[in-house]
Amino acid sequence: MFKLFFFIACVLFSFNLFAQDKVEWTVVYNTENQSVTFKAEIEEGWHLYSQKINEGIGPVPTTFTFEPNKKKYKLVGKTIEPTPKTEYDPNFEGELSYFAGTVEFVQQLKIKSSGEITGKITFMLCNEEMCIPPVDVAFNFKS
């Protein structure tokens, strides 16, 4: 039983590392306008799904989850993304919205007290032949 568990853990860990090789995330906080920008640089041939997709057909949308802390900050509105490319995705046999190349997502904040803000980015990558299971990447920045 332990060997099976160890094997599954190794496979999931390797997918996580593989996914992180295909996209590089940069998180930058702008003190002037109290916003955080999440920049994804996606390897050529791969794409990252939008936050707004038809979840009924399969992939996991990109999400930004902030660790709640009412004393430090408040989210203002939803995370903004540019207009994604929408087309038929053969992996899921349906119309889906995604980004390729470089994309920036922006979240406006209202800072109540300075300090570290943490959270995670959940995303899924695909190319024309395969998909990588969803991956969580932790982020942090100082406000």
Side-chain angles (χ1 to χ4, degrees):
M1 181 69 172
F2 176 75
K3 288 180 182 181
L4 177 62
F5 175 74
F6 182 74
F7 174 75
I8 291 170
C10 287
V11 169
L12 292 176
F13 182 71
S14 65
F15 275 128
N16 191 3
L17 290 176
F18 185 68
Q20 290 180 34
D21 277 353
K22 304 297 176 198
V23 63
E24 182 178 333
W25 288 97
T26 307
V27 180
V28 177
Y29 177 69
N30 182 322
T31 55
E32 190 174 303
N33 66 9
Q34 293 189 349
S35 67
V36 60
T37 300
F38 300 94
K39 181 178 179 182
E41 294 184 51
I42 307 155
E43 185 176 302
E44 188 174 336
W46 291 87
H47 59 265
L48 171 77
Y49 290 101
S50 168
Q51 298 174 94
K52 304 167 195 116
I53 60 170
N54 179 354
E55 292 183 57
I57 60 174
V60 172
T62 300
T63 58
F64 302 89
T65 306
F66 288 76
E67 190 66 39
N69 190 328
K70 292 180 182 180
K71 293 180 182 179
K72 283 188 186 175
Y73 70 94
K74 176 182 174 185
L75 299 178
V76 178
K78 296 182 179 184
T79 305
I80 299 168
E81 67 180 39
T83 304
K85 185 173 185 175
T86 301
E87 64 181 31
Y88 180 81
D89 188 319
N91 295 305
F92 296 100
E93 300 177 346
E95 292 273 321
L96 289 170
S97 298
Y98 65 90
F99 301 99
T102 301
V103 60
E104 291 185 356
F105 301 86
V106 178
Q107 175 65 60
Q108 196 71 40
L109 303 168
K110 179 176 170 119
I111 301 300
K112 297 177 182 179
S113 68
S114 61
E116 186 176 55
I117 297 175
T118 61
K120 69 178 179 176
I121 306 165
T122 302
F123 64 96
M124 186 170 171
L125 296 170
C126 293
N127 64 19
E128 294 299 318
E129 299 171 2
M130 64 180 278
C131 293
I132 300 170
V135 174
D136 291 332
V137 173
F139 68 81
N140 64 5
F141 59 92
K142 297 208 185 289
S143 62

